[in-house]
């Protein structure tokens, strides 16, 4: 290495390792904050009661975290410190010769109006708000900004009266007027918490109010604060909140603990929402909902996110993380909790299909890419990069497996023990698993490998049937591909839920050398536990050669390979007693058929309807005729595997082959099942009042899937019906479904109508930011040519705001992630466009910049020409001066 290279390497951001964890030198018993907000700047005075941590070695100096702070003054026990008593480091302040116990008073000046990172204290439209997780508190004042330092906070917020609402965590303990048209509010949070759960809001906000009586008969005030214009869109969030509170009492025995629970909606927010103690801050997109402006998916998202943040009050706040390597302790568990809640509010099978679709496309892709990491990572450069699908969604799958392995009763005993044992503590995933093991007596030693080994395990299953002995054997071999930090994996403990299907349905299961299991009532369902690299399970008294139904309910986050014939899949689709596997069989069958077409396409031959196996059509026809099926499941079974899922499964992604083959299969289905789709579409009562019940959502989704297929037929009558739906629908789900079809239809008539509809839509909804976002997305995801030019034009439209994360997600991210055929433009224009955005955002908002990088990180999955184009853009970003840690980490790992 040359000297200059060495210097460069030293200046590069450094990784932080789990193995280096040390307990903090000091603890902060109490934190008193005084936050004085002025136009253009804010003064923060903190009083910290510090004492040496008895569990640490005597330190005699105190190193505090701090980023972008202007230090005004620093005093110990009221005595101002001389400048040589402390030292600034990079993002830190070290005070020398500190006593064992003292009061530190620190005044800092910060500039929320200039804070475009949306981390720390910042201004969103008319209000001031905070986002501190993971390490944003250090942008407010010098502090021990780590989750294992838990403190009792008292916060006084002071501002001009043009900000009438002043909020912070806990209970309101004082308020009053001050000189110069200013006022204050003081909040006290009796629960010790880490700084990442701190929050503050000041603004001119309206609110709705309700109350909840807890299981021990305490009254809790519930308030949702929004900008006055949004007051009509809070009811669904309030209902969801009350349902969540009840559910957590009933299912986990968890009661809410403060007198008040508040939600504030802000429009500029890097993610969905934040679980600050007693004062959740939400992205408007995850709180506001009403039928005229919000789709069914939007309603469900509000319900899910409200529940998720509320559930964090126990899984995250009362029991928190020791360090950020433990992030999945709270996130995986809480996603599992919110997913079960949503399932209980709607349908378990439908929710499972939705969760698994997300996991199998995006999380599996992450686990196979350069950013792959175990759910408890060993190292990171920037923790913000680890709020991933792996930590959240795979983390939830690991908890789900634990819940299923233990069974309902033992799992509840385990979570009770976990909450009891660790209330008020900052703990590790080891502690979580230990509580479950202790309460249930189950040995989870091998299971813990799921926490430390990355990558998606693969199960290769073969079988044989012996007619003479009536024995059926399943051989299962597990393996796991190497990931950046681990080449060799030890076998996982994998629960495989299964059944065997005979010609007349489920067969009884007699596993050799094991007691029959009558838990499911009829002994037709079993969970076999894999613990070795290779295992064989023999079933006796099997009277005919069965078709195995494996991994029912997606019992483990793995890729299962079994050589199903198309007849097998058709049997599973129509007969499996497991609804999830019926859906999965439909996807496997469709995949096989799409892959046939892809093969023809790649041979350079013409693809046409003749390349399509009619068995898929017949299977889907039966699905459409099956009255016993939930309509939501019919809709999902009719929906072909997404391009993203097909790409994830491919070794090399052939963008065009996937796109055109899938499109051809869709069009053929539309032609062949036209009368069935007509029947569904025309049989739907378009005049009915809107409801957000599971049944109503299901009926709408099936009807709109029918419309989607019918619109592939380029039929004038259908195009007119679609326009009618757009113009007359009484809810946004149906409006957007129709608009999406008009925008994507090739027919000249549809194109001209879509032009009118888009203009009309904007005219009507321009004042509703969240609706405008949907308008941006429908255009950004248009699969027709020239979409990039349209996206670029929209960037300079009034509808767009390049600083608002929701707008960036609606336009740029939607184009790059959900429009493969246009983003992967053969000349690389899409890649260049994305890199341009990332370079700007790197300075403005590093978290958003880093998140946007995802599609480029997948470059190794493409053919050489595209690889080169993608890599060139990554290198271009890498060469930028002043790369944020966020962007540096993702780009450097992608290029490594
Ligand atoms: N805990 C927050 C996520 C914070 C992300 C910080 N970059 C939201 C949630 O998972 O509930
Ligand atoms: Zn969370």
């Amino acid at each position: 290495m040359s000297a200059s290279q060495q210097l460069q390497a030293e200046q590069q951001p450094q990784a932080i390792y789990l193995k280096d964890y040390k307990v903090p030198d000091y603890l902060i018993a109490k934190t008193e904050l005084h936050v004085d907000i002025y136009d253009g700047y804010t003064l923060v005075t903190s009083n910290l009661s510090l004492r040496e941590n008895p569990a640490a070695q005597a330190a005699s100096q105190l190193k505090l975290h701090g980023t972008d702070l202007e230090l005004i003054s620093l005093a110990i026990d009221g005595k101002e410190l001389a400048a040589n008593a402390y030292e600034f480091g990079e993002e830190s302040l070290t005070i020398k010769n500190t006593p064992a116990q003292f009061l530190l008073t620190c005044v800092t000046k910060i500039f929320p109006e200039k804070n475009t990172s949306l981390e720390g204290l910042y201004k969103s439209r008319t209000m001031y708000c905070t986002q501190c997780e993971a390490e944003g508190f250090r942008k407010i004042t010098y502090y021990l900004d780590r989750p294992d330092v838990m403190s009792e906070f008292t916060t006084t917020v002071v501002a001009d009266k043009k900000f009438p609402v002043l909020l912070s965590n806990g209970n309101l303990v004082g308020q009053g007027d001050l000189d110069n048209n200013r006022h204050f509010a003081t909040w006290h949070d009796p629960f010790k918490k880490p700084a990442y759960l701190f929050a503050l809001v000041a603004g001119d906000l309206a609110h709705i109010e309700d109350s909840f009586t807890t299981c021990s008969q305490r009254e809790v005030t519930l308030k949702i604060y929004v900008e006055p214009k949004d007051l009509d869109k809070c009811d669904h969030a309030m209902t969801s909140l009350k349902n969540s509170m009840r559910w957590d009492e009933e299912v986990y025995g968890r009661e809410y603990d403060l007198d008040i629970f508040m939600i504030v909606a802000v429009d500029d927010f890097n993610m969905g929402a934040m679980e600050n103690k007693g004062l959740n801050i939400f992205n408007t997109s995850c709180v506001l909902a009403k039928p005229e402006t919000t789709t069914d998916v939007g309603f469900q998202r509000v319900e899910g996110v409200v529940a998720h943040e509320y559930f964090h009050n126990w899984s995250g706040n009362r029991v928190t993380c020791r360090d950020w390597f433990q992030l999945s302790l709270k996130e995986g568990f809480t996603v599992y909790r919110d997913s079960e809640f949503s399932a209980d509010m709607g349908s378990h099978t439908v929710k499972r299909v939705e969760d698994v679709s997300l996991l199998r496309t995006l999380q599996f892709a992450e686990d196979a890419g350069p950013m792959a990491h175990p759910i408890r990572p060993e190292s990171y450069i920037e923790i913000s990069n680890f709020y991933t699908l792996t930590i959240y969604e795979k983390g939830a799958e690991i908890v789900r497996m634990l819940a299923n392995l233990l069974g309902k009763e033992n799992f509840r005993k385990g979570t009770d023990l976990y909450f009891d044992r660790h209330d008020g503590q900052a703990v590790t995933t080891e502690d979580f698993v230990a509580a479950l093991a202790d309460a249930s007596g189950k040995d989870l030693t091998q299971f813990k490998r799921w926490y430390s080994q990355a990558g998606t395990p693969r199960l290769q299953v073969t079988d044989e049937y012996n007619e003479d002995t009536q024995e059926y054997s399943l051989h299962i071999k597990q393996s796991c591909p190497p990931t950046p930090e681990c080449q060799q994996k030890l076998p996982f403990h994998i629960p495989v839920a299964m059944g065997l299907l005979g010609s007349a349905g489920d067969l009884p299961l007699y596993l050799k050398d094991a007691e029959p299991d009558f838990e499911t009532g009829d002994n037709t369902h079993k969970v076999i536990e894999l613990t070795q690299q290779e295992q064989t399970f023999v079933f006796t008294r099997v009277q005919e050669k069965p078709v195995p139904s494996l991994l029912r309910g997606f019992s483990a986050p793995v890729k299962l390979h079994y050589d199903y014939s198309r007849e097998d899949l058709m049997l599973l689709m129509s007969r499996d007693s497991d609804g999830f596997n019926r859906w999965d069989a439909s996807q496997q069958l469709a995949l096989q058929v799409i892959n046939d077409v892809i093969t023809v396409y790649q041979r350079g031959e013409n693809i046409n309807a003749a390349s399509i196996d009619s068995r898929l059509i017949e299977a889907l026809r039966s699905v459409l005729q099956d009255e016993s099926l939930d309509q939501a499941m019919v809709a999902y079974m009719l929906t072909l595997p997404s391009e993203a899922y097909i790409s994830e499964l491919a070794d090399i992604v052939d963008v065009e082959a996937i796109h055109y083959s899938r499109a051809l299969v869709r069009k053929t289905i539309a032609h062949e099942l036209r009368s069935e789709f007509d029947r569904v579409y025309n049989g739907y009562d378009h005049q009915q009042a809107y409801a957000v019940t599971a049944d109503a959502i299901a009926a709408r989704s099936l009807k709109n899937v029918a419309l989607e297929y019918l619109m592939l037929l380029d039929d004038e009558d259908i195009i007119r019906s679609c326009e009618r739906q757009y113009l007359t629908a009484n809810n946004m789900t149906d409006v957007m479904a129709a608009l999406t079809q008009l925008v994507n239809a090739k027919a000249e008539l549809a194109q001209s109508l879509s032009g009118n509809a888009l203009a009309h839509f904007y005219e009507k909804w321009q004042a509703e930011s969240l609706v405008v976002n949907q308008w941006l997305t429908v255009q950004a995801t248009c699969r027709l040519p020239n979409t990039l030019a349209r996206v670029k034009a929209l960037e300079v439209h009034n509808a767009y705001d390049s600083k608002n994360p929701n707008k960036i997600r609606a336009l740029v991210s939607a184009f790059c992630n959900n429009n493969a055929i246009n983003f992967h433009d053969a000349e690389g224009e899409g890649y260049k466009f994305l890199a341009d955005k990332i370079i700007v955002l790197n300075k403005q908002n590093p978290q958003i910049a880093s998140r946007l990088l995802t599609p480029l990180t997948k470059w190794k999955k493409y053919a050489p020409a595209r690889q080169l184009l993608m890599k060139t853009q990554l290198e271009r970003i890498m060469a930028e001066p002043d790369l944020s840690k966020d962007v540096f980490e993702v780009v450097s790992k992608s290029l490594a």
Side-chain angles (χ1 to χ4, degrees):
M1 223 190 261
S2 74
S4 82
Q5 274 173 325
Q6 189 155 0
L7 187 68
Q8 217 184 359
E10 277 163 16
Q11 285 168 346
Q12 280 178 352
Q14 298 297 309
I16 298 169
Y17 294 89
L18 169 59
K19 64 175 164 44
D20 295 341
Y21 174 82
K22 284 200 190 65
V23 296
D25 292 335
Y26 277 87
L27 300 175
I28 308 175
K30 289 193 179 182
T31 299
E32 277 181 34
L33 294 174
H34 191 97
V35 182
D36 250 303
I37 298 172
Y38 295 97
D39 279 340
Y41 69 95
T42 292
L43 290 175
V44 181
T45 305
S46 75
N47 281 293
L48 311 181
S49 324
L50 286 139
R51 69 180 166 86
E52 273 177 358
N53 182 359
Q57 289 176 348
S60 74
Q61 62 168 23
L62 172 66
K63 184 174 178 181
L64 298 166
H65 302 108
T67 306
D68 301 337
L69 301 172
E70 196 176 307
L71 181 65
I72 304 292
S73 67
L74 200 56
I76 283 186
D77 295 327
K79 236 185 109 213
E80 191 80 16
L81 292 187
N84 62 1
Y86 54 87
E87 222 166 57
F88 292 101
E90 206 188 317
E91 318 211 314
S92 70
L93 171 71
T94 303
I95 307 173
K96 298 177 241 176
N97 303 318
T98 42
Q101 188 166 353
F102 61 101
L103 179 75
L104 181 72
T105 305
C106 171
V107 181
T108 52
K109 187 173 183 182
I110 53 177
F111 303 91
E113 286 84 351
K114 291 192 192 147
N115 181 354
T116 58
S117 70
L118 312 189
E119 199 190 26
L121 177 66
Y122 65 93
K123 199 157 181 207
S124 172
R125 293 168 54 89
T126 57
M127 67 182 103
Y128 292 86
C129 63
T130 53
Q131 171 53 37
C132 294
E133 188 178 358
E135 299 180 331
F137 193 74
R138 64 189 64 183
K139 292 183 162 183
I140 296 173
T141 185
Y142 287 102
Y143 203 74
L144 288 172
D145 187 9
R146 44 187 288 170
D148 55 356
V149 173
M150 300 173 79
S151 183
E152 187 184 323
F153 279 69
T154 305
T155 305
T156 299
V157 188
V158 188
D160 190 284
K161 285 184 186 165
K162 68 186 172 189
F163 304 109
V165 175
L166 307 175
L167 309 174
S168 190
N169 318 86
N171 302 314
L172 182 66
V173 293
Q175 57 186 329
D177 289 342
L178 299 167
D179 292 346
N180 299 323
N181 202 42
R182 292 172 71 75
H183 68 147
F184 75 94
T186 302
W187 294 80
H188 173 245
D189 181 358
F191 294 94
K192 287 197 316 170
K193 66 167 174 288
Y196 85 84
L197 290 172
F198 170 80
L200 167 169
V201 169
D204 184 2
L205 303 172
H207 72 270
I208 65 163
E209 184 170 336
D210 206 328
S211 76
F212 179 82
T213 312
T214 70
C215 50
S216 69
Q217 304 304 311
R218 281 190 312 100
E219 280 296 299
V220 180
T221 302
L222 311 176
K223 291 187 179 182
I224 300 181
Y225 288 91
V226 294
E227 287 186 38
K229 67 180 172 60
D230 292 323
L231 205 55
D232 59 340
K233 304 185 202 78
C234 299
D235 293 347
H236 183 63
M238 186 62 92
T239 306
S240 305
L241 174 60
K242 290 191 288 183
N243 288 341
S244 310
M245 296 177 87
R246 189 62 72 216
W247 189 90
D248 214 15
E249 290 182 347
E250 287 172 2
V251 181
Y252 283 86
R254 299 295 117 199
E255 187 180 358
Y256 186 62
D257 48 13
L258 291 164
D259 303 336
I260 183 167
F261 184 86
M262 298 174 280
I263 289 177
V264 179
V266 308
D267 211 39
D268 300 275
F269 209 62
N270 282 348
M271 62 272 171
M274 178 63 210
E275 69 263 25
N276 318 298
K277 182 78 186 187
L279 178 57
N280 285 191
I281 297 183
F282 271 60
N283 188 324
T284 45
S285 71
C286 295
V287 197
L288 305 179
K290 67 171 182 180
E292 296 75 19
T293 59
T294 314
T295 62
D296 292 342
V297 172
F299 271 91
Q300 287 169 327
R301 181 156 169 77
V302 168
E303 179 182 74
V305 178
V306 167
H308 180 98
E309 305 312 330
Y310 175 73
F311 296 155
H312 268 316
N313 189 55
W314 276 96
S315 50
N317 302 2
R318 289 288 286 260
V319 181
T320 195
C321 301
R322 186 193 71 173
D323 54 71
W324 292 120
F325 298 101
Q326 317 299 330
L327 183 57
S328 202
L329 173 80
K330 72 177 178 81
E331 295 306 346
F333 187 22
T334 305
V335 172
Y336 172 67
R337 278 151 54 70
D338 84 56
S339 166
E340 286 296 287
F341 165 77
S342 294
D344 282 349
M345 296 295 119
S347 146
H348 278 255
T349 310
V350 172
K351 177 67 175 149
R352 195 68 192 127
V353 164
E354 290 164 354
D355 288 351
V356 173
S357 300
L358 177 75
L359 187 86
R360 281 214 288 225
T361 46
L362 303 181
Q363 194 281 323
F364 281 13
E366 182 170 280
D367 234 349
M371 283 295 288
H373 52 277
I375 65 163
R376 188 199 52 211
E378 303 287 334
S379 73
Y380 59 76
I381 292 177
E382 169 54 61
I383 186 57
S384 299
N385 285 330
F386 284 77
Y387 287 75
T388 58
L389 289 147
T390 299
I391 300 291
Y392 277 68
E393 311 303 325
K394 185 175 181 178
E397 292 298 320
I398 307 311
V399 177
R400 178 179 297 278
M401 284 193 286
L402 285 166
N404 291 340
L405 282 169
L406 265 58
K408 206 174 166 144
E409 235 168 79
N410 275 332
F411 183 67
R412 171 64 192 270
K413 277 192 206 154
T415 57
D416 282 352
L417 179 61
Y418 169 72
F419 289 126
D420 275 5
R421 204 185 249 179
H422 298 298
D423 190 7
Q425 296 177 4
V427 303
T428 64
T429 56
E430 296 268 343
D431 294 319
F432 178 71
V433 178
L436 297 187
D438 292 349
S440 66
K442 180 115 185 151
D443 181 358
L444 298 170
T445 318
Q446 182 181 1
F447 187 86
K448 284 197 284 189
R449 288 180 190 157
W450 282 106
Y451 284 87
S452 56
Q453 299 188 141
T456 306
R458 181 189 153 98
L459 301 185
Q460 187 67 50
V461 184
T462 54
D463 60 352
E464 78 237 349
Y465 177 62
N466 185 328
E467 220 169 321
D468 301 332
T469 59
Q470 302 213 328
E471 281 189 352
Y472 173 75
S473 310
L474 272 178
H475 309 290
I476 312 184
K477 213 166 147 174
Q478 61 162 300
S479 59
C480 185
T483 40
E485 270 141 28
C486 181
Q487 300 299 306
Q488 286 283 332
K489 315 276 164 90
L490 296 167
F492 289 89
H493 179 176
I494 304 174
V496 179
M498 50 91 50
L500 298 177
L501 253 73
S503 44
D506 278 341
L507 300 173
L509 302 177
Y510 300 99
L511 189 57
K512 206 171 182 171
D513 309 323
E515 288 297 307
D517 166 17
F518 287 98
E519 212 164 290
T520 55
D522 58 359
N523 188 35
T524 59
H525 182 85
K526 214 170 187 52
V527 179
I528 51 183
E529 296 184 25
L530 308 183
T531 49
Q532 287 144 43
Q533 207 121 47
E534 277 193 67
Q535 260 166 288
T536 297
F537 299 87
V538 181
F539 295 88
T540 59
R541 292 149 71 180
V542 183
Q543 297 182 351
E544 57 180 309
K545 183 177 188 328
V547 174
S549 167
L550 299 168
L551 213 64
R552 281 182 166 172
F554 204 66
S555 61
V558 301
K559 289 188 179 182
L560 185 133
H561 296 266
Y562 173 86
D563 194 12
Y564 283 113
S565 72
R566 292 183 193 183
E567 280 70 25
D568 291 345
L569 292 170
M570 289 167 78
L571 180 77
L572 290 167
M573 268 177 84
S574 60
R575 285 287 176 75
D576 201 328
S577 56
D578 183 67
F580 175 85
N581 269 13
R582 289 179 78 168
W583 168 77
D584 197 33
S586 75
Q587 302 298 291
Q588 309 270 347
L589 180 61
L591 266 175
Q592 289 193 9
V593 174
I594 295 168
N595 280 328
D596 291 347
V597 186
I598 290 178
T599 309
V600 177
Y601 183 98
Q602 288 175 331
R603 281 204 300 259
E605 293 164 19
N606 254 346
I607 54 170
N608 54 49
S611 345
I612 290 160
D613 187 338
S614 61
R615 284 174 288 188
L616 175 65
I617 311 287
E618 292 324 310
L620 295 180
R621 196 191 307 279
S622 312
V623 166
L624 273 161
Q625 287 163 350
D626 188 341
E627 306 259 312
S628 71
L629 278 170
D630 175 346
Q631 292 190 301
M633 291 308 296
V634 177
Y636 280 130
M637 288 172 88
L638 287 166
T639 304
L640 298 185
S642 65
E643 291 183 12
Y645 182 47
I646 304 171
S647 304
E648 201 291 311
L649 292 173
D651 292 328
I652 294 294
V653 181
D654 185 338
V655 179
E656 287 80 8
I658 291 172
H659 181 78
Y660 294 114
S661 303
R662 183 177 180 277
L664 176 71
V665 175
R666 268 162 40 97
K667 199 163 181 163
T668 309
I669 295 170
H671 274 287
E672 299 293 327
L673 300 181
R674 173 172 190 156
S675 58
E676 281 80 0
F677 289 132
D678 271 334
R679 182 176 52 76
V680 170
Y681 190 74
N682 297 324
Y684 183 85
D685 171 14
H686 280 89
Q687 309 304 314
Q688 64 189 276
Y690 178 86
V692 263
T693 58
D695 285 346
I697 292 172
R700 260 190 303 280
S701 73
L702 177 56
K703 179 262 300 185
N704 285 326
V705 167
L707 175 64
E708 191 177 334
Y709 275 110
L710 291 169
M711 280 294 282
L712 298 172
L713 299 173
D714 289 344
D715 177 295
E716 195 178 320
D717 288 343
I718 297 168
I719 296 170
R720 295 278 176 205
S721 307
C722 185
E723 191 201 20
R724 195 170 327 115
Q725 175 170 328
Y726 167 77
L727 290 170
T728 61
N730 61 8
N731 66 85
M732 189 49 84
T733 305
D734 286 341
V735 170
M736 280 312 296
L739 184 60
T740 304
Q741 297 320 316
L742 287 175
V743 167
N744 280 285
K746 283 201 198 100
E748 217 168 285
L749 173 64
Q751 278 307 295
S752 88
L753 294 177
S754 93
N756 299 342
L758 285 169
H760 165 266
F761 189 99
Y762 184 70
E763 184 64 31
K764 178 166 177 186
W765 294 113
Q766 53 186 306
E768 294 279 358
S769 184
L770 295 174
V771 183
V772 170
N773 294 349
Q774 300 176 60
W775 180 81
L776 293 170
T777 298
V778 75
Q779 298 179 79
T781 53
C782 173
R783 56 182 179 257
L784 302 180
N786 294 324
T787 300
L788 178 56
R790 194 160 171 183
V791 168
K792 288 180 177 168
L794 286 168
E795 278 188 290
V796 294
H797 192 287
N798 274 339
Y800 195 66
D801 171 358
S802 65
K803 298 219 160 37
N804 176 273
N806 287 351
K807 299 277 175 231
I808 300 169
R809 281 186 279 259
L811 188 66
V812 180
S813 178
F815 175 76
C816 300
N817 290 294
N818 299 321
N819 196 342
I821 194 71
N822 281 300
F823 172 65
H824 291 280
D825 159 75
E827 308 299 313
E829 287 303 314
Y831 310 147
K832 183 170 174 302
F833 167 75
L834 177 54
D836 289 346
K837 303 301 119 193
I838 289 166
I839 288 168
V840 174
L841 282 163
N842 170 57
K843 295 210 170 71
Q844 182 186 306
N845 187 331
Q847 285 183 21
I848 297 293
S850 165
R851 220 142 258 260
L852 268 184
L853 273 162
T854 309
L856 284 176
T857 65
K858 309 272 149 64
W859 63 279
K860 286 186 181 145
K861 290 267 299 188
Y862 294 83
R866 281 200 169 100
Q867 279 201 4
L868 183 65
L869 292 167
M870 294 171 92
K871 196 167 161 236
T872 304
Q873 294 306 324
L874 284 170
E875 284 164 349
R876 188 178 144 224
I877 299 169
M878 194 65 188
E880 277 292 304
D882 302 323
L883 273 196
S884 60
K885 278 199 254 179
D886 310 62
V887 172
F888 171 82
E889 177 168 37
V890 177
V891 177
S892 60
K893 287 182 176 172
S894 301
L895 288 171

